[in-house]
Amino acid sequence: MKRLQPKLVVTLAAFVAAVVTGCQTKMDQPSGFLSSYSQMTKVNDSTWRYVNKPALAACESFYIAPVQVLVNEYSGTTLTPQQKQQAAARFREVIVRSLQGHYAVVDQPGPNTGEIRAAITSAYKVGTSLGLGLEGEILNPKTRQQIAAVRTYQV
């Protein structure tokens, strides 16, 4: 598999950008999902990110941990476990598609493998549109050190 130079767009932000596009909305407080928020820098009013380029460059493949849906309701309606499972499955599909052709997606962590953790942290109505809060990170599965992270809210 062809190895690319690490770019947040190809790895972490690509899967987030593929999930939602459009208007940006103002950022809420961090959800607590990420292992760390301390190294993140503000990109704009709705996106924060962190990338350790040398550590990310060492990743030749990626393991995608089960996507979490931390949202319990949307627009006053409680989400069912099935709805949460469907949302998680869709988010995972988008992550896999964004990596295909660039990196191998593996079933378990291993050497030179980055572990992607992702979550839908909020869902809210903006007019007639759906707004989503998304957080994701890439960890070194051996050391559990954060290699890259993104936190974004978009409509």
Side-chain angles (χ1 to χ4, degrees), residues 119-132:
I120 300 171
T121 58
S122 64
Y124 49 93
K125 209 170 192 177
V126 179
T128 59
S129 299
L130 169 66
L132 291 176

Side-chain angles (χ1 to χ4, degrees), residues 19-114:
V19 174
V20 291
T21 58
C23 301
Q24 298 174 347
T25 185
K26 192 164 178 142
M27 209 56 147
D28 290 330
Q29 292 298 314
S31 72
F33 173 76
L34 299 178
S35 59
S36 175
Y37 295 84
S38 64
Q39 298 184 86
M40 297 179 87
T41 57
K42 185 176 183 176
V43 175
N44 56 43
D45 285 343
S46 64
T47 304
W48 289 70
R49 72 176 170 214
Y50 162 72
V51 180
N52 177 332
K53 290 182 182 182
L56 192 56
C59 295
E60 296 175 0
S61 60
F62 290 93
Y63 162 74
I64 304 168
V67 173
Q68 295 187 33
V69 178
L70 306 180
V71 178
N72 291 316
E73 70 174 2
Y74 171 69
S75 191
T77 303
T78 301
L79 298 178
T80 67
Q82 182 180 13
Q83 289 170 319
K84 286 183 171 187
Q85 185 179 18
Q86 289 172 341
R90 172 71 178 117
F91 197 2
R92 187 184 192 290
E93 287 173 21
V94 171
I95 296 168
V96 169
R97 272 199 314 268
S98 73
L99 294 170
Q100 284 178 336
H102 304 287
Y103 295 95
V105 176
V106 297
D107 293 332
Q108 60 187 8
N112 302 319
T113 299

Side-chain angles (χ1 to χ4, degrees), residues 131-143:
L132 291 176
L134 306 168
E135 294 185 10
E137 67 184 351
I138 300 174
L139 300 177
N140 175 315
K142 187 175 182 178
T143 66

